[in-house]
Amino acid sequence: MATFTGAECARCVFWFEETESATQVQRKFCTQYRKEPPSRPTVYSWHKNFVQTGCSVRLARPRVSDATVEQIRESFVRSARKSTRRATRETGNPNVTVWRVLRKSLHLKAYKLSIVQHLTDSDKVVRKEFCMQMFHRIQDDEKIFSDESTFHVSGKVNTHNCRIWGSENPRVSLEHVRDSPKVNVFCALSKYRVYGPFFSMKTTITSIVYLDMLQEFLIPKLDEDDQEGRIYF
């Protein structure tokens, strides 16, 4: 890739101002410097930079000093949950500098907090009692647990349940085919047997579709097995 001096860039900008033609600039450049001229887009870029900044070439971004990096690092060591705006006020550095140091120099990432239900000691006791109660009821009576899922022919997955573990972000994406064919599957489970699977080709599982599926598929099966009225669903 050809390189050009500051004087050559400035001369090209002067010629472009004079002729308003990148082709004329290339010809003058070859005549005076006896080497391959810059491309037309390069000439346009030099002229645009000169008009906007007063300089024909884009100036390099100033390097952040080691002292600034250490200052920002110590700020987040004291409080890792602070915002970049607060760090900007504390350190006196621009917000963009704080961001650049965090991501480029310190290689830190902003992770979201997970919101979970607060459990007290009494909640734990109640949960244990419920589990033991359900355990004994299952032994005495027959409880039915059910669930349903949707399978897409195109390979679409539920990203809420899909995780890829690794030390780095794999940047994996999956193309989604809109309105792709799919099948809905329903299944019920007791301690003695599995009911189903039952398949439905309906586009969307609504309350009406779900009720029809129970009445047509599951309830008749339960009636066959429940001779003493001990099945709970």
Side-chain angles (χ1 to χ4, degrees):
M1 181 178 180
T3 57
F4 305 95
T5 65
E8 292 171 345
C9 296
R11 177 60 64 178
C12 288
V13 172
F14 174 78
W15 285 331
F16 188 83
E17 282 286 336
E18 185 181 61
T19 63
E20 296 184 354
S21 171
T23 302
Q24 291 294 332
V25 171
Q26 290 176 320
R27 292 173 181 172
K28 289 178 177 291
F29 188 93
C30 291
T31 301
Q32 179 163 336
Y33 295 106
R34 302 294 180 181
K35 67 177 186 179
E36 183 180 354
S39 64
R40 296 177 62 187
T42 300
V43 174
Y44 295 141
S45 177
W46 287 346
H47 181 263
K48 180 179 179 180
N49 289 336
F50 179 79
V51 172
Q52 294 179 347
T53 66
C55 182
S56 58
V57 294
R58 189 180 298 276
L59 298 176
R61 179 180 295 168
R63 180 178 178 273
V64 179
S65 65
D66 294 338
T68 300
V69 174
E70 182 62 21
Q71 181 189 27
I72 296 175
R73 187 192 70 81
E74 291 179 354
S75 176
F76 279 87
V77 166
R78 292 192 299 268
S79 176
R81 294 188 179 185
K82 71 177 59 177
S83 65
T84 56
R85 294 187 181 275
R86 179 180 172 186
T88 295
R89 294 192 298 268
E90 291 181 357
T91 63
N93 295 295
N95 190 51
V96 64
T97 300
V98 174
W99 263 105
R100 190 179 304 123
V101 169
L102 290 175
R103 299 302 300 270
K104 302 296 183 180
S105 301
L106 301 179
H107 305 289
L108 300 180
K109 297 181 180 179
Y111 295 94
K112 292 183 179 180
L113 292 176
S114 298
I115 306 299
V116 297
Q117 180 69 36
H118 173 68
L119 295 179
T120 63
D121 292 338
S122 59
D123 292 330
K124 297 177 182 179
V125 173
V126 172
R127 284 193 170 194
K128 181 179 179 181
E129 291 177 352
F130 175 79
C131 292
M132 296 303 299
Q133 185 181 28
M134 291 300 299
F135 175 78
H136 292 301
R137 285 187 177 182
I138 291 175
Q139 301 302 317
D140 298 335
D141 300 316
E142 190 167 350
K143 299 293 188 298
I144 303 296
F145 300 91
S146 66
D147 199 1
E148 62 280 337
S149 183
T150 301
F151 296 88
H152 293 258
V153 177
S154 63
K156 176 183 176 182
V157 298
N158 184 352
T159 56
H160 179 73
N161 297 327
C162 181
R163 294 291 184 270
I164 300 177
W165 293 91
S167 58
E168 297 181 357
N169 189 340
R171 307 294 181 186
V172 175
S173 61
L174 180 66
E175 293 185 352
H176 167 53
V177 180
R178 186 174 181 179
D179 298 328
S180 64
K182 61 183 179 181
V183 59
N184 302 290
V185 183
F186 172 86
C187 186
L189 178 69
S190 71
K191 69 176 181 179
Y192 293 116
R193 61 175 295 185
V194 175
Y195 296 91
F198 307 126
F199 300 92
S200 173
M201 302 300 294
K202 299 292 185 180
T203 304
T204 304
I205 298 297
T206 63
S207 58
I208 298 177
V209 174
Y210 192 81
L211 180 60
D212 290 341
M213 184 168 54
L214 294 179
Q215 293 176 339
E216 294 179 9
F217 297 105
L218 182 60
I219 300 302
K221 295 292 184 181
L222 295 180
D223 290 338
E224 294 177 3
D225 296 340
D226 188 16
Q227 302 298 329
E228 301 178 2
R230 300 178 61 183
I231 294 181
Y232 296 89
F233 175 72

